[in-house]
Amino acid sequence: MDILAPALRLIVVDDEPHLREMVAEYLERNNFSVRTAACGKTLDRLLAEQSADLIVLDVNMPGEDGLSILQRIRRTTKTPVLMLTAASNVSDKIAGLDVGADDYMTKPFDLRELHARIRAVLRRYDPQQASDARVEPMRNIRAFGKMFVDLDARCLVEADGARQPVTAMEFDLLEVFLQNPDRVLTRDRLLNLAHNRDIEPFDRSIDVRVTRLRKKIEHNPAKPQTLKTVRGAGYIFTPAKRA
């Protein structure tokens, strides 16, 4: 006789009662155990009573907003968090991912997609290692073009959380650009800062690496907006300006 696994425990945090009830009802029909909260204080109380396997957290709430709540709870838990927002502003998504969100959805959304995204986040997550345990320092993730750079894991991360590997030389170059935003760097300076001791001063491998990085991080590599060429000088990393 099969023994059913216990339902995964979710908490839905949103100041709109109708949305909370709709999401909770739908997810409960899909075999989740769901509690709801209208604010950060109620979320704190629910987490104190029982840990959660995942939190669905709205960004735009009166009082303490979702980004502030996420930043605060990330100091004590690594429970995965899927953020909701009424705005499709990319700066909101970048801020959420910087603070530690695992995924993002824009309102209005399809409940089936929400369900699929929750399942995808949970597949990437090992609850055996987390249940409200104290966490290591927050991952150091920085925005870079259409991607994000995970400085701890030494890789690129897409907006949906998928990881994209880079070579050691490519990562060294990414790190140098991140440390020198809005500054023109010559090829010689880039070679020096990236610690490539065996490369000759006039080696054009920097150009090759920049071209490869552009294919990964630019929306249109033919017209780069993040890693720009400065004719006769070198390259410049231009971070996206938040609204």
Side-chain angles (χ1 to χ4, degrees), residues 125-172:
Y125 183 76
D126 182 2
Q128 295 300 320
Q129 298 181 3
S131 185
D132 272 12
R134 300 297 297 184
V135 295
E136 19 178 345
M138 267 193 306
R139 298 199 75 81
N140 194 0
I141 297 178
R142 303 278 295 281
F144 202 101
K146 68 178 183 179
M147 305 285 281
F148 300 88
V149 181
D150 188 331
L151 293 169
D152 295 334
R154 294 179 65 85
C155 69
L156 288 170
V157 182
E158 297 180 18
D160 65 0
R163 295 180 178 276
Q164 184 175 142
V166 293
T167 67
M169 287 185 175
E170 287 172 351
F171 185 83
D172 288 343

Side-chain angles (χ1 to χ4, degrees), residues 169-237:
M169 287 185 175
E170 287 172 351
F171 185 83
D172 288 343
L173 199 55
L174 282 170
E175 210 167 26
V176 169
F177 280 124
L178 283 168
Q179 292 166 357
N180 296 274
D182 298 314
R183 182 181 301 173
V184 177
L185 298 173
T186 66
R187 292 179 179 85
D188 288 353
R189 183 66 173 152
L190 287 168
L191 287 169
N192 181 53
L193 291 173
H195 306 297
N196 292 307
R197 303 172 187 171
D198 298 330
I199 298 178
E200 294 298 325
F202 300 103
D203 194 291
R204 306 294 285 189
S205 66
I206 287 292
D207 298 333
V208 175
R209 271 183 275 170
V210 168
T211 298
R212 289 175 178 167
L213 286 175
R214 282 173 173 166
K215 291 178 180 178
K216 296 175 181 179
I217 61 93
E218 297 281 0
H219 290 283
N220 182 356
K223 297 180 179 179
Q225 299 300 310
T226 300
L227 285 182
K228 298 179 181 179
T229 300
V230 180
R231 290 190 180 279
Y235 297 99
I236 184 170
F237 165 50

Side-chain angles (χ1 to χ4, degrees), residues 17-110:
H18 172 70
L19 186 141
R20 287 199 309 271
E21 294 167 8
M22 177 181 67
V23 171
E25 181 181 351
Y26 180 83
L27 293 175
E28 284 173 345
R29 292 204 308 266
N30 284 275
N31 302 317
F32 289 100
S33 171
V34 184
R35 294 173 289 167
T36 64
C39 62
K41 287 184 178 180
T42 305
L43 173 63
D44 293 341
R45 176 176 57 79
L46 293 178
L47 287 173
E49 294 171 354
Q50 185 182 48
S51 62
D53 295 302
L54 182 140
I55 298 168
V56 177
L57 178 61
D58 185 32
V59 171
N60 301 303
M61 295 189 293
E64 187 180 19
D65 66 25
L67 291 175
S68 175
I69 293 171
L70 176 59
Q71 189 170 34
R72 179 168 54 75
I73 67 174
R74 271 290 173 260
R75 298 180 191 130
T76 57
T77 182
K78 50 186 175 182
T79 300
V81 174
L82 187 153
M83 303 291 290
L84 301 176
T85 179
S88 57
N89 192 330
V90 69
S91 62
D92 281 347
K93 297 181 180 180
I94 291 171
L97 292 166
D98 278 347
V99 174
D102 296 89
D103 201 355
Y104 228 103
M105 284 196 70
T106 302
K107 297 178 181 177
F109 53 83
D110 188 299

